Amino acid sequence: MKASIVLAAITAFTLKASADCFSTRLGYPCCSGNDVVYTDNDGKWGVENGNWCGIDDTPSAAACWSLSQGYPCCSSSNAEVWYTDASGKWGVENGDWCGIPTGSTGGSTGGSTGGNVTPGEQYTHNGNPFANKDFYINPYYVEEIEGAIAQMSDSSLIAKAEKMKTYSNAIWLDSIKNMQSWLETNLKGALSQQNASGKDVLTVFVVYDLPGRDCHALASNGELLANDNDWARYKSEYIDVIEGHLKTYKSQPVVLIVEPDSLANMVTNLESTPACRDSEKYYMDGHAYLIKKFGVLPHVAMYLDIGHAFWLGWDDNREKAGKVYAKVISSGSPGKVRGFTDNVANYTPWEDPTLSRGPETEWNPCPDEKRYLQAIHKDFKAAGISSVYFVCDTSRNGKKVDRKHPGEWCNQTGVGVGARPQASPVSGMDYLDAFYWIKPLGESDGTSDESAVRFDGYCGHETAMKPAPEAGQWFQKHFEQGLKNANPPL
């Protein structure tokens, strides 16, 4: 509150408030009433006993019904309503769900609304899991975009960002805590939307917390280490909990993108990287365990990660990959796997006619994702894998980036949003289930701070945008460049 605003005609004295509020840090007491005299950036102000006092908008404990469910109360009774269930109205603040106080009308409605989150009859996938579905909108990403828009002044860029809010992307369950916060809440949100609309609503989650995660990189190492104690936690605190929620919410379609980068590391990096050798048992056993758990659920379709064209695209890598993936899928019997996902969190274009097998591509016969999937489809079929379908991550591959080597993966300059999420997007490729946004544009690949514990050398390379925050944190400059370079344009 500005010091120039005073009540000169009133003799001031301090009233000790019974509860703390925003104004106490500014040297003013809290109001006992709610009559607003003045509002500024700090909050709402009243006058009591001849002195300014702060009006506390924080909901009372009694009104904060979401606390009993492990979620905070929203800071305002006029928070935006993302969806409604039997408990009450839910909003999103600071990247987490919050309960809108009882008795409030709530603000504008976004996301999924409608209070019916009672699961119905068992849903069963039949064919392409993405076909004839409404795609669930990730409320956390919408909030990130709203925060990004608040930092923009260019009206054309703001319009592009607003369009981004209308497209679906995957929800990452990248820690036990995030899984606990996001899995059931978003299953409820999708189910509420489905029950209200009468249309099947598909939610896509990324399962991403293996012990020793990302063994060949530093920027995205996980919380669980490659040891037996954390392996037990992965099963009991992570996979088993996911299984329980999926069994409960059985009447809606779900897709799981499984453990990006893990099996591709088993194909290429066992001999060169000690951390990958240490993780091998947990990667292989982890996949077997989760396939047995999730692969028997008829409403759940799973896709195992296969890296990208400039990881497994060479003939010998694809041949070896066929053997590794066939073994993994067999180990998870009777669970079934729908197929595979490529280019997750990468930048390789879907088609790049400027490249061919030669010195520039280190003699890679698959220098774009289309040729990669065409080749690996044949190889996996030859390896005895019966269900070979693909989901390609097109969130950041709309424009050929500035990287000087196609293996560069960290915050690449020249980034552009790619093809929009769509089922069966390419004529003549009936084994391509979808283009989909798996890695959210704007979330960093890794920090460029060389002193950081999780600094990876790739994030310091010439074509990696700098300065960059830690992996998963918002990277405004990268997001804005992706909007400008979108192909097709936003």
Side-chain angles (χ1 to χ4, degrees):
M1 181 178 179
K2 293 182 175 63
S4 59
I5 301 175
V6 295
L7 293 180
I10 303 176
T11 303
F13 76 96
T14 302
L15 174 69
K16 183 176 181 180
S18 59
D20 197 17
C21 65
F22 75 90
S23 60
T24 57
R25 62 181 170 80
L26 301 172
Y28 296 89
C30 299
C31 297
S32 60
N34 295 306
D35 293 333
V36 179
V37 175
Y38 175 76
T39 302
D40 64 9
N41 291 334
D42 293 312
K44 297 176 181 178
W45 296 87
V47 177
E48 290 181 356
N49 301 309
N51 194 21
W52 288 106
C53 58
I55 297 174
D56 186 9
D57 272 347
T58 304
S60 67
C64 198
W65 51 268
S66 57
L67 288 174
S68 63
Q69 301 187 31
Y71 296 93
C73 219
C74 298
S75 60
S76 171
S77 60
N78 292 317
E80 183 176 4
V81 180
W82 278 99
Y83 79 92
T84 304
D85 62 14
S87 300
K89 296 178 179 179
W90 294 86
V92 177
E93 290 182 354
N94 302 314
D96 200 1
W97 291 99
C98 59
I100 297 173
T102 307
S104 66
T105 57
S108 61
T109 299
S112 301
T113 60
N116 183 5
V117 291
T118 303
E121 296 183 0
Q122 177 69 56
Y123 180 89
T124 299
H125 282 294
N126 183 18
N128 183 350
F130 290 83
N132 304 312
K133 306 290 193 306
D134 284 348
F135 297 164
Y136 180 68
I137 303 297
N138 179 354
Y140 175 66
Y141 190 58
V142 170
E143 187 190 28
E144 286 188 310
I145 294 175
E146 289 174 347
I149 290 172
Q151 302 177 53
M152 298 176 183
S153 58
D154 184 332
S155 59
S156 64
L157 201 60
I158 291 172
K160 295 177 189 295
E162 290 287 354
K163 289 181 181 178
M164 290 287 289
K165 291 160 59 175
T166 67
Y167 294 105
S168 176
N169 60 20
I171 298 166
W172 286 65
L173 310 177
D174 54 1
S175 69
I176 292 170
K177 180 181 182 296
N178 285 346
M179 179 273 294
Q180 292 169 339
S181 297
W182 285 104
L183 177 59
E184 184 176 23
T185 303
N186 286 293
L187 286 171
K188 281 184 176 181
L191 180 57
S192 175
Q193 179 182 335
Q194 177 172 294
N195 287 341
S197 68
K199 299 179 181 178
D200 295 330
V201 177
L202 175 68
T203 314
V204 180
F205 295 99
V206 180
V207 177
Y208 187 53
D209 204 26
L210 271 172
R213 187 180 77 192
D214 254 6
C215 60
H216 191 62
L218 296 175
S220 48
N221 292 162
E223 63 183 350
L224 302 179
L225 304 179
N227 60 52
D228 289 346
N229 287 337
D230 280 0
W231 162 236
R233 290 190 65 198
Y234 180 74
K235 290 186 290 183
S236 64
E237 297 180 37
Y238 187 71
I239 296 299
D240 292 356
V241 176
I242 295 174
E243 177 196 24
H245 289 310
L246 292 176
K247 284 183 174 180
T248 297
Y249 296 94
K250 64 181 182 178
S251 60
Q252 62 201 95
V254 173
V255 159
L256 300 179
I257 306 298
V258 176
E259 297 293 355
D261 293 350
S262 56
L263 292 181
N265 274 316
M266 296 296 95
V267 175
T268 63
N269 293 320
L270 279 178
E271 295 180 3
S272 62
T273 309
C276 291
R277 291 197 298 273
D278 294 341
S279 301
E280 179 182 12
K281 174 183 184 298
Y282 305 109
Y283 281 21
M284 303 301 280
D285 290 352
H287 277 81
Y289 188 79
L290 66 86
I291 292 171
K292 289 177 181 178
K293 293 280 187 175
F294 305 149
V296 296
L297 304 177
H299 63 298
V300 176
M302 279 192 295
Y303 295 82
L304 309 184
D305 182 74
I306 54 169
H308 52 85
F310 281 96
W311 191 342
L312 301 182
W314 289 267
D315 294 343
D316 54 345
N317 283 348
R318 297 196 322 273
E319 180 182 3
K320 186 176 180 181
K323 297 175 182 178
V324 169
Y325 284 82
K327 178 181 178 181
V328 166
I329 293 170
S330 177
S331 71
S333 181
K336 303 293 184 183
V337 171
R338 169 69 182 179
F340 309 90
T341 184
D342 67 296
N343 208 39
V344 173
N346 207 263
Y347 301 88
T348 310
W350 173 246
E351 290 185 280
D352 188 352
T354 68
L355 293 181
S356 59
R357 187 171 191 166
E360 185 181 4
T361 62
E362 298 180 359
W363 306 99
N364 185 348
C366 307
D368 57 35
E369 293 304 306
K370 182 177 182 179
R371 281 176 277 185
Y372 175 50
L373 294 190
Q374 289 172 333
I376 210 162
H377 180 262
K378 296 177 182 178
D379 294 331
F380 277 21
K381 283 289 188 179
I385 301 174
S386 59
S387 185
V388 185
Y389 298 89
F390 301 101
V391 177
C392 180
D393 186 357
T394 58
S395 61
R396 307 190 301 178
N397 73 341
K399 178 181 178 292
K400 189 174 181 179
V401 293
D402 299 332
R403 59 188 181 186
K404 296 182 178 179
H405 184 279
E408 299 279 0
W409 55 264
C410 190
N411 298 321
Q412 291 300 287
T413 56
V415 63
V417 175
R420 313 303 180 254
Q422 179 186 353
S424 304
V426 178
S427 176
M429 291 184 71
D430 58 356
Y431 50 85
L432 178 62
D433 280 345
F435 288 154
Y436 192 77
W437 291 355
I438 299 174
K439 168 74 174 185
L441 174 72
E443 294 187 2
S444 175
D445 294 320
T447 180
S448 58
D449 180 0
E450 296 184 12
S451 67
V453 173
R454 298 207 305 171
F455 172 74
D456 190 293
Y458 277 93
C459 300
H461 286 186
E462 181 181 351
T463 59
M465 187 178 288
K466 308 174 196 68
E470 289 279 4
Q473 294 182 4
W474 191 254
F475 195 175
Q476 181 77 10
K477 186 177 179 182
H478 206 239
F479 177 71
E480 292 185 8
Q481 187 175 75
L483 300 183
K484 293 174 183 176
N485 293 331
N487 180 31
L490 285 163

Short mmCIF file of all heavy atoms in Angstrom, two decimals, residues 299-338:
data_model
loop_
_atom_site.label_atom_id
_atom_site.label_comp_id
_atom_site.label_asym_id
_atom_site.label_seq_id
_atom_site.Cartn_x
_atom_site.Cartn_y
_atom_site.Cartn_z
N HIS A 299 -9.42 -50.88 -20.83
CA HIS A 299 -9.60 -49.47 -21.18
C HIS A 299 -8.28 -48.70 -21.24
O HIS A 299 -8.28 -47.49 -21.45
CB HIS A 299 -10.54 -48.78 -20.18
CG HIS A 299 -10.01 -48.74 -18.77
ND1 HIS A 299 -9.76 -49.86 -18.04
CD2 HIS A 299 -9.68 -47.68 -17.96
CE1 HIS A 299 -9.31 -49.52 -16.84
NE2 HIS A 299 -9.25 -48.21 -16.77
N VAL A 300 -7.17 -49.42 -21.06
CA VAL A 300 -5.85 -48.80 -21.03
C VAL A 300 -5.03 -49.30 -22.22
O VAL A 300 -4.91 -50.51 -22.43
CB VAL A 300 -5.12 -49.11 -19.71
CG1 VAL A 300 -3.70 -48.54 -19.75
CG2 VAL A 300 -5.89 -48.53 -18.53
N ALA A 301 -4.46 -48.39 -23.00
CA ALA A 301 -3.57 -48.74 -24.10
C ALA A 301 -2.18 -48.20 -23.79
O ALA A 301 -2.03 -47.04 -23.40
CB ALA A 301 -4.07 -48.16 -25.41
N MET A 302 -1.18 -49.05 -23.96
CA MET A 302 0.20 -48.66 -23.62
C MET A 302 1.08 -48.56 -24.86
O MET A 302 0.98 -49.37 -25.79
CB MET A 302 0.81 -49.71 -22.68
CG MET A 302 0.43 -49.53 -21.24
SD MET A 302 1.46 -50.58 -20.17
CE MET A 302 0.96 -52.20 -20.71
N TYR A 303 1.97 -47.57 -24.81
CA TYR A 303 2.97 -47.37 -25.86
C TYR A 303 4.35 -47.28 -25.20
O TYR A 303 4.58 -46.42 -24.34
CB TYR A 303 2.69 -46.10 -26.65
CG TYR A 303 1.39 -46.11 -27.43
CD1 TYR A 303 0.19 -45.82 -26.80
CD2 TYR A 303 1.37 -46.44 -28.79
CE1 TYR A 303 -1.01 -45.83 -27.50
CE2 TYR A 303 0.18 -46.45 -29.50
CZ TYR A 303 -1.02 -46.15 -28.85
OH TYR A 303 -2.20 -46.17 -29.55
N LEU A 304 5.27 -48.15 -25.60
CA LEU A 304 6.63 -48.13 -25.09
C LEU A 304 7.46 -47.16 -25.92
O LEU A 304 7.29 -47.05 -27.13
CB LEU A 304 7.26 -49.53 -25.15
CG LEU A 304 6.46 -50.68 -24.52
CD1 LEU A 304 7.29 -51.97 -24.58
CD2 LEU A 304 6.05 -50.37 -23.09
N ASP A 305 8.37 -46.48 -25.27
CA ASP A 305 9.17 -45.46 -25.95
C ASP A 305 10.29 -46.09 -26.78
O ASP A 305 10.98 -47.01 -26.32
CB ASP A 305 9.77 -44.50 -24.92
CG ASP A 305 10.56 -43.39 -25.56
OD1 ASP A 305 9.92 -42.48 -26.12
OD2 ASP A 305 11.80 -43.43 -25.54
N ILE A 306 10.48 -45.58 -28.01
CA ILE A 306 11.53 -46.09 -28.90
C ILE A 306 12.50 -44.98 -29.34
O ILE A 306 13.08 -45.04 -30.43
CB ILE A 306 10.95 -46.79 -30.14
CG1 ILE A 306 9.96 -45.87 -30.88
CG2 ILE A 306 10.28 -48.10 -29.77
CD1 ILE A 306 9.55 -46.39 -32.25
N GLY A 307 12.69 -43.98 -28.49
CA GLY A 307 13.65 -42.93 -28.83
C GLY A 307 13.21 -42.15 -30.06
O GLY A 307 12.05 -41.74 -30.18
N HIS A 308 14.11 -41.97 -31.00
CA HIS A 308 13.80 -41.18 -32.19
C HIS A 308 14.73 -41.62 -33.32
O HIS A 308 15.59 -42.50 -33.15
CB HIS A 308 13.95 -39.69 -31.92
CG HIS A 308 15.27 -39.30 -31.32
ND1 HIS A 308 16.39 -39.06 -32.08
CD2 HIS A 308 15.64 -39.14 -30.03
CE1 HIS A 308 17.40 -38.75 -31.29
NE2 HIS A 308 16.98 -38.80 -30.03
N ALA A 309 14.55 -41.01 -34.49
CA ALA A 309 15.26 -41.44 -35.69
C ALA A 309 16.77 -41.40 -35.55
O ALA A 309 17.48 -42.26 -36.10
CB ALA A 309 14.82 -40.56 -36.87
N PHE A 310 17.29 -40.41 -34.83
CA PHE A 310 18.75 -40.30 -34.70
C PHE A 310 19.25 -40.93 -33.41
O PHE A 310 20.33 -40.59 -32.92
CB PHE A 310 19.17 -38.84 -34.82
CG PHE A 310 19.20 -38.39 -36.25
CD1 PHE A 310 18.11 -37.73 -36.80
CD2 PHE A 310 20.29 -38.67 -37.06
CE1 PHE A 310 18.13 -37.33 -38.13
CE2 PHE A 310 20.32 -38.28 -38.39
CZ PHE A 310 19.23 -37.60 -38.93
N TRP A 311 18.47 -41.87 -32.90
CA TRP A 311 18.93 -42.71 -31.79
C TRP A 311 18.96 -44.16 -32.24
O TRP A 311 20.01 -44.82 -32.19
CB TRP A 311 18.00 -42.52 -30.59
CG TRP A 311 18.51 -43.12 -29.30
CD1 TRP A 311 19.48 -44.07 -29.14
CD2 TRP A 311 18.06 -42.79 -27.97
NE1 TRP A 311 19.66 -44.36 -27.81
CE2 TRP A 311 18.81 -43.59 -27.08
CE3 TRP A 311 17.11 -41.91 -27.45
CZ2 TRP A 311 18.61 -43.53 -25.69
CZ3 TRP A 311 16.92 -41.86 -26.09
CH2 TRP A 311 17.67 -42.66 -25.21
N LEU A 312 17.84 -44.66 -32.72
CA LEU A 312 17.77 -46.06 -33.11
C LEU A 312 17.58 -46.25 -34.61
O LEU A 312 17.26 -47.36 -35.06
CB LEU A 312 16.62 -46.75 -32.36
CG LEU A 312 16.68 -46.74 -30.84
CD1 LEU A 312 15.48 -47.50 -30.26
CD2 LEU A 312 17.98 -47.34 -30.32
N GLY A 313 17.78 -45.19 -35.40
CA GLY A 313 17.46 -45.27 -36.82
C GLY A 313 18.38 -46.13 -37.66
O GLY A 313 17.98 -46.63 -38.72
N TRP A 314 19.63 -46.33 -37.24
CA TRP A 314 20.58 -47.13 -38.02
C TRP A 314 20.17 -48.59 -38.05
O TRP A 314 19.53 -49.10 -37.11
CB TRP A 314 21.97 -46.96 -37.43
CG TRP A 314 22.56 -45.60 -37.68
CD1 TRP A 314 23.35 -45.23 -38.73
CD2 TRP A 314 22.38 -44.42 -36.87
NE1 TRP A 314 23.68 -43.89 -38.63
CE2 TRP A 314 23.10 -43.37 -37.50
CE3 TRP A 314 21.69 -44.15 -35.70
CZ2 TRP A 314 23.15 -42.08 -37.00
CZ3 TRP A 314 21.73 -42.86 -35.18
CH2 TRP A 314 22.45 -41.84 -35.82
N ASP A 315 20.57 -49.30 -39.09
CA ASP A 315 20.12 -50.68 -39.30
C ASP A 315 20.45 -51.58 -38.12
O ASP A 315 19.60 -52.36 -37.66
CB ASP A 315 20.78 -51.25 -40.57
CG ASP A 315 20.31 -50.56 -41.84
OD1 ASP A 315 19.26 -49.89 -41.78
OD2 ASP A 315 20.99 -50.69 -42.88
N ASP A 316 21.68 -51.49 -37.60
CA ASP A 316 22.06 -52.39 -36.52
C ASP A 316 21.31 -52.05 -35.23
O ASP A 316 20.95 -52.96 -34.46
CB ASP A 316 23.57 -52.36 -36.30
CG ASP A 316 24.12 -50.96 -36.07
OD1 ASP A 316 23.40 -49.98 -36.36
OD2 ASP A 316 25.28 -50.84 -35.62
N ASN A 317 21.05 -50.78 -34.99
CA ASN A 317 20.29 -50.41 -33.79
C ASN A 317 18.85 -50.89 -33.87
O ASN A 317 18.28 -51.35 -32.87
CB ASN A 317 20.31 -48.88 -33.60
CG ASN A 317 21.63 -48.38 -33.04
OD1 ASN A 317 22.47 -49.16 -32.58
ND2 ASN A 317 21.83 -47.08 -33.07
N ARG A 318 18.24 -50.77 -35.05
CA ARG A 318 16.86 -51.22 -35.20
C ARG A 318 16.75 -52.74 -35.04
O ARG A 318 15.82 -53.24 -34.41
CB ARG A 318 16.28 -50.80 -36.55
CG ARG A 318 16.19 -49.30 -36.76
CD ARG A 318 15.27 -48.95 -37.94
NE ARG A 318 15.39 -49.88 -39.05
CZ ARG A 318 16.27 -49.79 -40.05
NH1 ARG A 318 17.16 -48.79 -40.04
NH2 ARG A 318 16.29 -50.67 -41.03
N GLU A 319 17.74 -53.45 -35.58
CA GLU A 319 17.72 -54.91 -35.45
C GLU A 319 17.83 -55.31 -33.98
O GLU A 319 17.10 -56.20 -33.49
CB GLU A 319 18.86 -55.53 -36.26
CG GLU A 319 18.90 -57.05 -36.17
CD GLU A 319 20.06 -57.65 -36.95
OE1 GLU A 319 20.86 -56.88 -37.51
OE2 GLU A 319 20.17 -58.89 -36.97
N LYS A 320 18.75 -54.68 -33.27
CA LYS A 320 18.91 -54.98 -31.84
C LYS A 320 17.67 -54.57 -31.05
O LYS A 320 17.23 -55.28 -30.14
CB LYS A 320 20.15 -54.26 -31.30
CG LYS A 320 20.49 -54.61 -29.86
CD LYS A 320 21.77 -53.94 -29.42
CE LYS A 320 22.11 -54.29 -27.98
NZ LYS A 320 23.37 -53.61 -27.52
N ALA A 321 17.10 -53.43 -31.42
CA ALA A 321 15.90 -52.97 -30.74
C ALA A 321 14.76 -53.97 -30.87
O ALA A 321 14.01 -54.20 -29.91
CB ALA A 321 15.47 -51.61 -31.29
N GLY A 322 14.61 -54.56 -32.04
CA GLY A 322 13.55 -55.54 -32.23
C GLY A 322 13.64 -56.67 -31.22
O GLY A 322 12.64 -57.13 -30.65
N LYS A 323 14.86 -57.13 -30.95
CA LYS A 323 15.06 -58.22 -30.00
C LYS A 323 14.78 -57.77 -28.57
O LYS A 323 14.14 -58.49 -27.79
CB LYS A 323 16.50 -58.74 -30.12
CG LYS A 323 16.82 -59.35 -31.47
CD LYS A 323 18.30 -59.74 -31.57
CE LYS A 323 18.64 -60.30 -32.94
NZ LYS A 323 20.09 -60.63 -33.06
N VAL A 324 15.25 -56.57 -28.21
CA VAL A 324 15.06 -56.07 -26.85
C VAL A 324 13.58 -55.86 -26.56
O VAL A 324 13.07 -56.31 -25.52
CB VAL A 324 15.83 -54.75 -26.65
CG1 VAL A 324 15.43 -54.08 -25.33
CG2 VAL A 324 17.34 -54.99 -26.67
N TYR A 325 12.87 -55.22 -27.48
CA TYR A 325 11.46 -54.89 -27.23
C TYR A 325 10.60 -56.15 -27.26
O TYR A 325 9.63 -56.26 -26.50
CB TYR A 325 10.97 -53.85 -28.22
CG TYR A 325 11.46 -52.45 -27.90
CD1 TYR A 325 12.74 -52.03 -28.29
CD2 TYR A 325 10.67 -51.55 -27.21
CE1 TYR A 325 13.21 -50.76 -27.98
CE2 TYR A 325 11.13 -50.26 -26.90
CZ TYR A 325 12.40 -49.88 -27.29
OH TYR A 325 12.86 -48.63 -26.98
N ALA A 326 10.93 -57.10 -28.13
CA ALA A 326 10.18 -58.36 -28.15
C ALA A 326 10.33 -59.09 -26.82
O ALA A 326 9.36 -59.65 -26.28
CB ALA A 326 10.66 -59.23 -29.31
N LYS A 327 11.54 -59.10 -26.28
CA LYS A 327 11.79 -59.75 -24.99
C LYS A 327 11.01 -59.06 -23.88
O LYS A 327 10.41 -59.72 -23.02
CB LYS A 327 13.28 -59.73 -24.69
CG LYS A 327 13.66 -60.35 -23.35
CD LYS A 327 15.17 -60.26 -23.11
CE LYS A 327 15.55 -60.84 -21.75
NZ LYS A 327 17.02 -60.74 -21.52
N VAL A 328 11.02 -57.73 -23.88
CA VAL A 328 10.32 -56.98 -22.83
C VAL A 328 8.83 -57.26 -22.88
O VAL A 328 8.19 -57.51 -21.85
CB VAL A 328 10.60 -55.47 -22.99
CG1 VAL A 328 9.63 -54.65 -22.15
CG2 VAL A 328 12.03 -55.15 -22.60
N ILE A 329 8.24 -57.20 -24.06
CA ILE A 329 6.80 -57.42 -24.18
C ILE A 329 6.43 -58.83 -23.76
O ILE A 329 5.44 -59.05 -23.04
CB ILE A 329 6.34 -57.13 -25.62
CG1 ILE A 329 6.51 -55.63 -25.92
CG2 ILE A 329 4.89 -57.55 -25.83
CD1 ILE A 329 6.32 -55.26 -27.38
N SER A 330 7.23 -59.79 -24.14
CA SER A 330 6.99 -61.18 -23.74
C SER A 330 7.06 -61.34 -22.23
O SER A 330 6.28 -62.10 -21.63
CB SER A 330 8.00 -62.10 -24.43
OG SER A 330 7.83 -63.44 -24.01
N SER A 331 7.97 -60.62 -21.60
CA SER A 331 8.15 -60.75 -20.15
C SER A 331 6.95 -60.22 -19.38
O SER A 331 6.78 -60.54 -18.20
CB SER A 331 9.41 -59.99 -19.70
OG SER A 331 9.23 -58.59 -19.78
N GLY A 332 6.13 -59.39 -20.02
CA GLY A 332 4.96 -58.82 -19.35
C GLY A 332 3.68 -59.59 -19.59
O GLY A 332 2.60 -59.14 -19.17
N SER A 333 3.76 -60.74 -20.24
CA SER A 333 2.56 -61.55 -20.51
C SER A 333 1.87 -61.92 -19.19
O SER A 333 2.55 -62.17 -18.18
CB SER A 333 2.97 -62.81 -21.28
OG SER A 333 1.84 -63.60 -21.55
N PRO A 334 0.55 -61.91 -19.15
CA PRO A 334 -0.41 -61.79 -20.26
C PRO A 334 -0.77 -60.37 -20.64
O PRO A 334 -1.68 -60.15 -21.43
CB PRO A 334 -1.64 -62.52 -19.70
CG PRO A 334 -1.60 -62.20 -18.23
CD PRO A 334 -0.13 -62.21 -17.87
N GLY A 335 -0.08 -59.36 -20.08
CA GLY A 335 -0.36 -57.98 -20.44
C GLY A 335 -0.03 -57.71 -21.90
O GLY A 335 0.88 -58.31 -22.47
N LYS A 336 -0.78 -56.80 -22.48
CA LYS A 336 -0.62 -56.46 -23.89
C LYS A 336 -0.12 -55.02 -24.04
O LYS A 336 -0.44 -54.15 -23.23
CB LYS A 336 -1.94 -56.60 -24.65
CG LYS A 336 -2.57 -57.98 -24.55
CD LYS A 336 -1.72 -59.03 -25.26
CE LYS A 336 -2.42 -60.39 -25.24
NZ LYS A 336 -1.57 -61.45 -25.88
N VAL A 337 0.65 -54.79 -25.08
CA VAL A 337 1.13 -53.46 -25.43
C VAL A 337 0.56 -53.10 -26.79
O VAL A 337 0.64 -53.89 -27.74
CB VAL A 337 2.68 -53.43 -25.47
CG1 VAL A 337 3.18 -52.11 -26.06
CG2 VAL A 337 3.25 -53.64 -24.07
N ARG A 338 -0.03 -51.91 -26.89
CA ARG A 338 -0.59 -51.47 -28.17
C ARG A 338 0.50 -51.15 -29.17
O ARG A 338 0.39 -51.47 -30.35
CB ARG A 338 -1.48 -50.24 -27.96
CG ARG A 338 -1.91 -49.52 -29.22
CD ARG A 338 -2.88 -50.31 -30.06
NE ARG A 338 -3.23 -49.58 -31.29
CZ ARG A 338 -4.05 -50.05 -32.23
NH1 ARG A 338 -4.62 -51.24 -32.08
NH2 ARG A 338 -4.32 -49.35 -33.31
#
